[in-house]
Amino acid sequence: MASPIKAYNSITLDSRISSTLRDSLHMEFLADVSLLPGEERITDKDIIYICPFSGAVKGKVLITNYRIYFKSSDTDLTVLLDVPLGTISRVEKMGGASSRGENSYGLDITCKDMRNLRFALKQEGHSRRDIFELIFRYAFPLSFSMPLFAYITQEKYSENGWNVYKPVEEFRRQGLPNNKWRIAFINKSYDLCDTYPPVLAVPYRSTDEDLRRVAAFRSRGRIPVLSWIHRENQAVIVRCSQPLVGMSGKRNKDDERYLDLIREANDTTKKLTIYDARPNVNAVANKATGGGYEGDEYQNAELVFLDIQNIHVMRESLKKLKDIVYPHVEESHWLSSLESTHWLEHVKLVLTGAIQVADKVSNGNSVVVHCSDGWDRTAQLTSLAMLMLDSHYRTLRGFQVLIEKEWISFGHKFSSRIGHGDKNHADQDRSPVFVQFIDCVWQMTKQFPTAFEFNELLLLTILDHLYSCRFGTFLYNCESSREQHEVRFKTVSLWSLINSKVDLYLNPFYAPDPGQVLYPVASMRHLELWVSYYIRWNPRIQQQVGPVVIF
Amino acid sequence: MEFSEHIKNANVEDVVLRQPLQPPVRGTLCITGHHLLFSDREDSSSQLLLLLRNIDAVEKSVENLSGYPGFLSKAGHSERTTGSSGTITIKCKDLRVLQLDIPGMEQCLNIAHSIETLSCLDNVSEMYPFFYRPADLRLQEHWGLSTPAKHYSQMKALHKKWRLSSVNVDYSVCPSYPPAVIVPTSIDDETLKKAAKFRQGGRFPVLCYYHQKNGMVIMRSSQPLVGANKKRCKEDELLLQAVIDGSDKGYVIDTRSSQQVQRARMTGGGFESKSSYDHWKRLHKQMERGKALQESLIKLVEACGDESHNMDRWLSKLENSKWLSHVQTALSTAGLLAECVERDGHSALVHGYEGTDCSLLISTLAQLIMDPSCRTLEGFLALLEREWIQAGHPFQQRCAHSAYSHARLQQESPVFLLLLDCIWQLWRQFPLALGFSEGLLLQLATEAYASDYGTFLCNSDQERCALGVKDATHCLFQNLLRPTERENYLNPLYEPNELAIWPSVHPQSLQLWRGFFLKWTQQARHLEEVQGEIRNMVIEWVRVTQGDAATIQ
């Protein structure tokens, strides 16, 4: 017999089983396709799935209004694919009617979750035309004036996730309002700022008129408002967008006075620290388009730049990371290739910034955080700092509140960043800012394995449904759009799914430690690539299945 | 004992000690024949007791501050060289870096000289394990856990085709082998003696593992002395033929490349050629060894210690050290060996040159992959005893210095450390499959270089016998298994698993062993504490659930 052993390869026998597990998102589909309530079959077809790990696999593909489902027909080698259509960013035809070579004619599907799918069809009778058009229509319903699946699903859960976050309740938990901070309803019809939530916490001594004047001087009216207050020392985290300084170096007395009110609301804050998430040069460059940063005229404030790059840099970085992990991992120079993507370096800078914010606040010094518009880097920094400072956000429910509050309600542009249901895959607004945030959270859970009530599966589930369009949670750019599209009434919340099956998402080693501030180490030596997310489609990533994958 | 002649100043007052993770303290430094002691008299927790053997490098810098009299001296120390002082930086084999600020240039130089001399004494019988006499241990109580003889008597399945040979009882056939070895029953001692002459250092093929599932075995040896004119040895061929008796073939895993083995013939070594050993199929897997491995460790430790916090290209430095690629090669070669035996169902012989380094590394890892019985704490220590201590890994030479030493490299090579790192990777990939904790691996990594116990002394069983190590020192492994100790080294998540554990060897699956290489950082310390917390949680959980089960019954 020919020598079976050329080089040791840990997957020689296990690949079949594991590829089944890895390629399917949901174990329950292993038996047969069970559709969600409201999900409908559109078409099915004999097709060849060109699996990058097991080669070409013959089988049948089923397209519904929610997913692409593929099952191999060969009973020896079960390959399953179960991909929500929302995950697709791009569908292309591969090869032409006259292309030569085996499996050269078919479809090439690019996904948002670090993988691509290739299908081959028979080269006769325009066999792919129908399926291409169907996938295209149902993957990008908004481009065809059709509803997202979140509006079609009939799923029912015992828990209603829309009740998880109630702004006033969350403020009350933080001890607000108090004699320094008031709850303002000035934005209840979104006319102060259309990308902010209706309920805001602002300095007690500021009038609604002040707020309007400040809004005129802040990019898109995103005025400085309170995100979090330290229960003991009363120092606060305030978020906003950049001031509209412009080339001429405009000043705004109201804005200056308003920031001073924020400073005065805390007795121990001698100088208000303003964290500008951007690199210094970018902040300067923003002056050209009317933006800028707080200058010396803000006498009782100090400005610190945190050197975090913009959404475009992050997008390119993750693209590079995908290049070296999918479909095949760049093995010969793995570490230097990883380094050249700069992904971990960006993670490090975001964490470093959040640590500075948390440290300032826990030392009794109020801070303001902004970037340009205050909905990407700012959300990363405030939410991570709050996660470090407040153990409530490290519980399963609290983490949901944190995301609802700092990301969803404060207008992180999920719709633009993810491109739900939109065929424009090359849109410059796309960026994995939220993925990067979840990565930072994962890094923290690795460094503090007992500090979080939730486990890695929660983070993976959140990222899967960031794209799936099955839940309303991550749809649209801001609260005003969500209200307009009646998201809370017409769609299901992701938290309904999660809170109905809480056990799945709990960390068995959780040891609550209220009051403990977590300072992760942001040195490159202590950061790791999140292999079980970024390289999870690769069956060679092997880990023992057990109660923990924390070490 | 002539230690005192190396100690000019046994006691120095007013020394400032700086060590990782602790604030600097002022106190008294004391040097003995084997230890560096530091005490600040007030707080007993900041005392330091460091084995001099643990010290890898001493760096001193003295300043003469005579221009500023009284700058550092306090009242009562006026006899000192006025105003001069010095700093000694001590770099340890466990990768800790300490700093001592010593008043008085002369004292400083004396201390540094004493440390330099005493930490490098190479007379084994003067080493600390011969003086270590804790009150709660008695000498000569079970030195060691396992020997080939004991292994043989426990493995009844072996008895039909394999025998225990005492051919090496006086170490004359192979000086680096134990007195008893396991060989095929059909091969008599005379044949073994002749086969030994055909193997470097007399290390003829002996059994180290019997795979109960299919009766296949792992043998290990050194390279055959084929030489340039292609010598053959009938007895060696017979011995190997007897190993595969009843099977169609066996595999030779040679830890060198095919070019390397050709070159080895020019210096008297060689390989099992197809024509002489026609049932054996050779597989080459080139492994780094010796100096290259030591240099890799030095580069890695240097990168880890580089504290500059700017964009310091850490990942490139980590890659350039090549340490993780050595981990990868070791694990994948072990995987290959285990595949031959477990999946392909054939016996295998593993060797490189001397058969005292990479061969042991590979056979040990392969056994951990395949054999559940060596994944328990006891089983694992017994495996180390057989495959490393008894099998003649030259610990004395390999672990004489570690990554910081300025001494010229001789025989140093961190093969054992590489083994522990590979096992840690297994432990990380299979958190439930190994019965011992990361703490055990860390402890072994320290003890191999400097220890109170005699286990890692000497280069072979013969040397240990000649020096009376087993009579005059305590055994580390026995101590780790004492009821008071073993609890610390168990993995509370352990669930016995009969299956082989095939590690993933892809670079993205391998991680730096932070617990060891970054041990002296805050973060590693924190994770150690958290693991302790988790351990207690699991133990408590087991206690409660078992209690519940008992009440239900």
Side-chain angles (χ1 to χ4, degrees):
Chain A
M1 88 187 172
S3 169
I5 297 164
K6 287 200 185 74
Y8 168 67
N9 181 341
S10 65
I11 61 145
T12 42
L13 287 186
D14 303 332
S15 62
R16 294 170 181 197
I17 311 141
S18 49
S19 71
T20 319
L21 294 176
R22 307 280 165 165
D23 277 355
S24 67
L25 262 173
H26 306 284
M27 294 291 294
E28 62 256 40
F29 293 103
L30 281 171
D32 210 344
V33 203
S34 66
L35 303 184
L36 295 169
E39 185 178 357
E40 280 171 14
R41 290 169 184 257
I42 307 294
T43 186
D44 57 38
K45 199 173 187 70
D46 288 324
I47 208 162
I48 295 163
Y49 166 50
I50 305 171
C51 173
F53 312 110
S54 358
V57 189
K58 277 187 190 160
K60 223 177 181 63
V61 69
L62 166 70
I63 312 289
T64 74
N65 51 356
Y66 174 65
R67 77 185 85 205
I68 293 184
Y69 182 91
F70 170 85
K71 191 173 183 183
S72 56
S73 45
D74 184 351
T75 43
D76 282 354
L77 180 86
T78 311
V79 174
L80 276 183
L81 274 180
D82 187 357
V83 185
L85 292 168
T87 313
I88 295 173
S89 71
R90 178 183 196 176
V91 188
E92 281 180 307
K93 292 175 181 163
M94 155 183 97
S98 56
S99 292
R100 283 159 186 253
E102 212 183 345
N103 301 330
S104 61
Y105 175 81
L107 301 175
D108 200 340
I109 298 174
T110 309
C111 295
K112 296 169 181 172
D113 63 350
M114 306 292 285
R115 60 177 158 166
N116 299 339
L117 308 172
R118 297 178 77 187
F119 293 103
L121 292 112
K122 290 201 195 84
Q123 248 158 319
E124 49 207 38
H126 304 294
S127 61
R128 73 180 167 193
R129 189 196 289 154
D130 289 356
I131 192 163
F132 172 80
E133 278 170 11
L134 284 170
I135 292 175
F136 203 81
R137 270 173 83 86
Y138 283 93
F140 311 122
L142 297 186
S143 301
F144 295 89
S145 307
M146 301 196 316
L148 292 165
F149 183 73
Y151 286 89
I152 297 167
T153 181
Q154 300 293 320
E155 289 175 88
K156 298 275 182 287
Y157 291 97
S158 53
E159 292 274 326
N160 183 358
W162 294 123
N163 294 332
V164 161
Y165 174 56
K166 295 190 169 136
V168 176
E169 257 175 43
E170 166 60 15
F171 281 133
R172 200 172 298 140
R173 186 192 68 84
Q174 294 187 19
L176 299 176
N178 59 19
N179 59 359
K180 301 283 168 90
W181 296 89
R182 65 185 180 94
I183 309 294
F185 297 92
I186 180 177
N187 199 39
K188 65 174 186 292
S189 41
Y190 306 105
D191 50 4
L192 179 79
C193 170
D194 60 353
T195 57
Y196 260 13
V199 182
L200 302 170
V202 296
Y204 191 81
R205 292 172 54 201
S206 63
T207 64
D208 282 1
E209 203 38 51
D210 291 337
L211 301 180
R212 285 188 208 286
R213 283 198 290 260
V214 172
F217 191 63
R218 289 280 163 177
S219 176
R220 299 171 201 271
R222 295 174 67 92
I223 60 166
V225 294
L226 179 145
S227 275
W228 189 78
I229 184 163
H230 193 292
R231 262 191 181 275
E232 277 85 50
N233 66 32
Q234 298 287 301
V236 298
I237 299 177
V238 163
R239 63 181 292 172
C240 58
S241 61
Q242 63 183 339
L244 298 175
V245 176
M247 291 299 270
S248 57
K250 270 197 297 264
R251 287 180 61 169
N252 183 308
K253 291 278 183 204
D254 296 301
D255 191 71
E256 289 165 29
R257 200 180 133 254
Y258 181 75
L259 285 195
D260 219 36
L261 286 180
I262 291 170
R263 182 186 63 81
E264 284 168 3
N266 179 259
D267 297 336
T268 51
T269 303
K270 298 276 173 296
K271 265 187 186 282
L272 184 67
T273 307
I274 302 172
Y275 287 105
D276 188 326
R278 301 166 292 183
N280 194 341
V281 285
N282 297 30
V284 173
N286 260 287
K287 286 187 172 180
T289 50
Y293 52 90
E294 293 81 358
D296 295 336
E297 62 275 16
Y298 293 80
Q299 286 177 2
N300 296 315
E302 56 170 352
L303 184 70
V304 179
F305 292 103
L306 293 178
D307 273 329
I308 301 169
Q309 300 292 337
N310 63 24
I311 59 165
H312 311 292
V313 174
M314 300 310 180
R315 179 180 61 236
E316 294 315 309
S317 174
L318 190 64
K319 198 178 276 175
K320 279 189 198 153
L321 181 60
K322 183 174 175 179
D323 287 345
I324 66 162
V325 300
Y326 193 91
H328 300 294
V329 176
E330 171 59 53
E331 297 208 341
S332 57
H333 292 284
W334 166 244
L335 292 170
S336 48
S337 304
L338 178 60
E339 184 169 79
S340 67
T341 70
H342 298 292
W343 182 255
L344 283 176
E345 210 173 291
H346 295 311
V347 166
K348 172 193 148 146
L349 281 169
V350 173
L351 277 171
T352 308
I355 290 166
Q356 290 183 60
V357 172
D359 188 48
K360 255 299 182 254
V361 171
S362 73
N363 284 318
N365 199 113
S366 291
V367 304
V368 172
V369 182
H370 71 71
C371 44
S372 299
D373 290 313
W375 51 42
D376 294 305
R377 286 167 279 194
T378 300
Q380 288 180 328
L381 291 168
T382 58
S383 56
L384 286 169
M386 287 157 72
L387 199 59
M388 292 169 196
L389 288 162
D390 190 340
S391 58
H392 174 65
Y393 298 126
R394 307 195 285 258
T395 63
L396 183 63
R397 288 283 181 141
F399 189 61
Q400 298 168 13
V401 169
L402 185 71
I403 290 175
E404 283 284 347
K405 177 171 151 57
E406 290 302 298
W407 290 85
I408 297 169
S409 86
F410 272 101
H412 172 66
K413 302 201 293 173
F414 281 104
S415 171
S416 304
R417 297 290 174 258
I418 308 302
H420 296 127
D422 181 356
K423 65 178 178 167
N424 298 316
H425 60 85
D427 194 309
Q428 288 299 302
D429 251 348
R430 307 279 181 268
S431 186
V433 174
F434 185 73
V435 175
Q436 191 171 54
F437 159 71
I438 295 290
D439 190 332
C440 291
V441 175
W442 179 82
Q443 303 284 351
M444 285 181 66
T445 64
K446 289 290 280 186
Q447 294 193 14
F448 301 95
T450 60
F452 293 82
E453 191 189 20
F454 51 86
N455 60 18
E456 188 180 39
L457 182 63
L458 178 79
L459 302 179
L460 293 169
T461 307
I462 288 172
L463 290 184
D464 283 341
H465 292 297
L466 174 65
Y467 305 121
S468 76
C469 298
R470 176 174 153 194
F471 301 98
T473 303
F474 296 117
L475 301 183
Y476 303 106
N477 283 335
C478 56
E479 293 288 57
S480 59
S481 306
R482 264 173 229 117
E483 207 162 284
Q484 192 190 331
H485 292 95
E486 299 175 277
V487 169
R488 293 172 69 93
F489 306 104
K490 294 187 169 170
T491 75
V492 177
S493 161
L494 169 60
W495 316 128
S496 301
L497 170 87
I498 285 168
N499 295 337
S500 302
K501 274 187 176 177
V502 165
D503 286 354
L504 284 177
Y505 306 103
L506 293 179
N507 168 15
F509 299 131
Y510 177 52
D513 190 356
Q516 170 83 8
V517 182
L518 302 186
Y519 293 114
V521 178
S523 144
M524 288 295 281
R525 284 161 181 64
H526 294 278
L527 298 180
E528 269 176 40
L529 182 72
W530 188 10
V531 169
S532 43
Y533 178 68
Y534 299 112
I535 322 187
R536 66 178 159 158
W537 309 120
N538 190 326
R540 286 173 191 169
I541 298 302
Q542 185 178 347
Q543 238 162 0
Q544 187 180 22
V545 182
V548 250
V549 204
I550 58 162
F551 293 107
Chain B
M1 280 195 306
E2 307 304 328
F3 299 129
S4 56
E5 74 188 45
H6 300 298
I7 304 175
K8 285 198 185 109
N9 289 88
N11 281 290
V12 188
E13 304 277 332
D14 219 15
V15 172
V16 175
L17 167 70
R18 297 167 208 277
Q19 48 183 336
L21 308 174
Q22 282 173 35
V25 277
R26 193 179 288 271
T28 306
L29 181 74
C30 175
I31 292 194
T32 73
H34 295 109
H35 287 101
L36 196 69
L37 272 127
F38 180 91
S39 157
D40 70 346
R41 269 176 289 183
E42 283 152 30
D43 178 8
S44 58
S45 68
S46 55
Q47 287 198 346
L48 173 78
L49 176 66
L50 183 72
L51 263 183
L52 291 169
R53 188 78 197 157
N54 192 350
I55 296 174
D56 206 24
V58 183
E59 289 157 18
K60 50 187 183 279
S61 70
V62 288
E63 284 176 71
N64 197 333
L65 297 173
S66 52
Y68 307 91
F71 179 71
L72 266 174
S73 60
K74 281 183 176 173
H77 300 298
S78 51
E79 73 278 7
R80 230 174 254 156
T81 317
T82 321
S84 64
S85 77
T87 296
I88 301 178
T89 305
I90 293 175
K91 298 184 170 175
C92 299
K93 292 168 185 169
D94 63 8
L95 306 186
R96 184 169 20 164
V97 177
L98 309 172
Q99 208 179 302
L100 295 166
D101 298 342
I102 296 172
M105 186 168 72
E106 202 184 318
Q107 285 197 99
C108 179
L109 293 174
N110 285 343
I111 295 281
H113 179 75
S114 299
I115 297 176
E116 274 165 359
T117 318
L118 292 167
S119 63
C120 296
L121 291 182
D122 47 12
N123 185 347
V124 175
S125 57
E126 286 182 0
M127 287 182 181
Y128 186 61
F130 286 94
F131 301 87
Y132 179 59
R133 296 290 177 264
D136 57 341
L137 286 180
R138 275 183 299 149
L139 281 179
Q140 289 150 358
E141 252 184 29
H142 309 294
W143 206 98
L145 296 175
S146 182
T147 57
K150 200 168 160 195
H151 187 50
Y152 182 80
S153 69
Q154 284 165 349
M155 293 281 281
K156 297 281 183 270
L158 268 177
H159 295 190
K160 211 170 106 202
K161 285 184 167 175
W162 299 85
R163 71 184 182 93
L164 194 66
S165 164
S166 310
V167 66
N168 197 39
V169 69
D170 54 359
Y171 306 104
S172 60
V173 178
C174 172
S176 61
Y177 269 173
V181 290
I182 303 169
V183 293
T185 309
S186 58
I187 301 298
D188 61 26
D189 284 355
E190 281 314 304
T191 313
L192 293 177
K193 282 183 190 165
K194 286 184 183 141
K197 290 215 167 64
F198 187 63
R199 293 278 171 174
Q200 183 173 357
R203 294 177 70 92
F204 57 91
V206 295
L207 177 138
C208 65
Y209 174 64
Y210 177 80
H211 195 50
Q212 289 189 302
K213 282 179 203 153
N214 59 15
M216 295 299 133
V217 301
I218 297 178
M219 309 286 291
R220 55 175 160 71
S221 69
S222 59
Q223 65 176 341
L225 300 174
V226 176
N229 43 18
K230 300 191 178 172
K231 263 196 306 222
R232 291 179 63 163
C233 170
K234 190 162 55 66
E235 290 78 10
D236 190 72
E237 291 165 22
L238 270 174
L239 171 54
L240 286 185
Q241 190 54 45
V243 170
I244 50 171
D245 171 45
S247 168
D248 59 328
K249 69 172 169 189
Y251 289 104
V252 178
I253 309 281
D254 197 316
T255 62
R256 306 165 294 177
S257 69
S258 36
Q259 292 81 6
Q260 282 175 319
V261 301
Q262 291 294 349
R263 256 179 275 132
R265 275 183 40 217
M266 300 307 131
T267 50
F271 54 92
E272 292 80 0
S273 66
K274 194 77 198 153
S275 52
S276 316
Y277 301 83
D278 61 345
H279 288 103
W280 287 85
K281 179 165 175 47
R282 267 183 298 121
L283 302 169
H284 294 281
K285 206 70 163 113
Q286 185 182 351
M287 297 183 65
E288 272 321 331
R289 58 195 81 225
K291 209 168 173 175
L293 211 52
Q294 182 73 15
E295 279 162 0
S296 168
L297 176 69
I298 292 170
K299 273 191 190 166
L300 174 63
V301 170
E302 200 177 284
C304 290
D306 186 352
E307 292 290 341
S308 52
H309 277 293
N310 46 5
M311 297 302 168
D312 54 0
R313 297 177 59 75
W314 157 250
L315 291 173
S316 294
K317 284 185 191 166
L318 182 57
E319 181 172 287
N320 288 339
S321 79
K322 296 211 177 85
W323 182 262
L324 283 175
S325 71
H326 300 322
V327 169
Q328 181 186 26
T329 310
L331 279 171
S332 71
T333 310
L336 176 66
L337 173 58
E339 270 192 323
C340 291
V341 176
E342 157 102 14
R343 287 179 172 167
D344 201 54
H346 288 95
S347 289
L349 167 69
V350 55
H351 71 72
Y353 295 97
E354 301 93 337
T356 53
D357 296 287
C358 291
S359 312
L360 307 183
L361 176 61
I362 296 321
S363 74
T364 307
L365 290 173
Q367 292 181 56
L368 278 164
I369 290 172
M370 288 188 286
D371 182 7
S373 73
C374 61
R375 296 184 209 139
T376 63
L377 177 61
E378 286 80 359
F380 173 58
L381 292 176
L383 175 71
L384 289 185
E385 172 109 21
R386 284 196 308 276
E387 289 299 275
W388 290 80
I389 311 290
Q390 300 269 341
H393 175 66
F395 278 100
Q396 201 70 36
Q397 293 173 351
R398 298 292 181 260
C399 300
H401 288 287
S402 181
Y404 289 126
S405 174
H406 305 299
R408 201 169 54 84
L409 281 184
Q410 293 177 335
Q411 303 280 328
E412 291 83 0
S413 188
V415 192
F416 187 66
L417 189 59
L418 183 61
L419 171 83
L420 297 175
D421 194 331
C422 292
I423 297 171
W424 179 79
Q425 308 283 349
L426 274 177
W427 182 85
R428 195 181 150 275
Q429 291 186 19
F430 300 93
L432 312 184
L434 301 178
F436 46 87
S437 66
E438 180 179 15
L440 178 76
L441 301 174
L442 291 169
Q443 189 67 28
L444 291 170
T446 305
E447 301 275 352
Y449 283 88
S451 179
D452 293 343
Y453 299 91
T455 300
F456 293 115
L457 290 179
C458 303
N459 295 307
S460 65
D461 199 56
Q462 183 183 26
E463 284 183 32
R464 274 185 286 274
C465 282
L467 292 169
V469 169
K470 296 179 194 181
D471 301 318
T473 75
H474 293 288
C475 168
L476 172 67
F477 295 160
Q478 287 293 354
N479 183 58
L480 294 174
L481 291 175
R482 287 198 300 164
T484 47
E485 294 287 315
R486 68 193 302 275
E487 194 76 341
N488 303 321
Y489 300 110
L490 293 172
N491 173 8
L493 295 174
Y494 174 57
E495 276 176 16
N497 176 357
E498 285 303 310
L499 300 172
I501 50 172
W502 301 101
S504 168
V505 299
H506 301 276
Q508 68 275 13
S509 306
L510 303 176
Q511 286 289 338
L512 176 70
W513 185 15
R514 293 194 177 84
F516 181 74
F517 291 105
L518 300 174
K519 185 178 178 185
W520 303 100
T521 61
Q522 199 65 50
Q523 180 55 18
R525 182 59 51 92
H526 161 76
L527 274 180
E528 213 173 290
E529 285 166 15
V530 170
Q531 281 178 21
E533 212 177 301
I534 291 177
R535 160 193 305 279
N536 293 337
M537 236 183 271
V538 175
I539 292 170
E540 180 65 13
W541 183 79
V542 169
R543 201 181 58 77
V544 169
T545 49
Q546 282 177 351
D548 285 355
T551 30
I552 290 165
Q553 281 170 1

